[in-house]
Amino acid sequence: FMYLGPSIRGVIQKATLYEGTRQDVEAFLAPAIEKYPHIKFLLISGDTLPQDRIKVNAPGNYLHEEYRKFIAELNKKEV
């Protein structure tokens, strides 16, 4: 799995690779996911990674919307 969301200092870095099943990766990232639930939606399987890397930056699809919502949430927390 690869995380395609924004980097959050001390929490998670963009383009980080994780080995294991989705369940294993989500368990490992549980503290981060609890604090930032959008992380879960931006963990991408290696099977769909090539397409999803494009989708996350292209308007009109689920991944882009999750990324956009996450950025908006992070911006609210910084204020």
Side-chain angles (χ1 to χ4, degrees):
F1 288 86
M2 179 181 273
Y3 171 66
L4 292 182
S7 294
I8 304 169
R9 186 175 293 182
V11 178
I12 196 165
Q13 295 296 310
K14 183 176 188 167
T16 301
L17 291 170
Y18 298 95
E19 288 189 39
T21 65
R22 176 171 287 280
Q23 186 178 7
D24 293 338
V25 173
E26 288 180 7
F28 177 74
L29 294 172
I33 291 171
E34 186 175 319
K35 189 170 182 179
Y36 302 100
H38 288 281
I39 289 173
K40 184 176 181 177
F41 301 111
L42 295 168
L43 286 171
I44 306 304
S45 166
D47 297 336
T48 61
L49 184 59
Q51 310 90 285
D52 290 346
R53 287 180 69 149
I54 295 167
K55 285 182 181 179
V56 80
N57 294 311
N61 66 77
Y62 175 76
L63 283 175
H64 180 75
E65 286 303 309
E66 286 300 324
Y67 186 89
R68 190 185 60 74
K69 287 178 192 175
F70 194 14
I71 295 294
E73 178 184 309
L74 290 174
N75 288 337
K76 285 181 187 176
K77 288 186 177 189
E78 288 179 5
V79 172

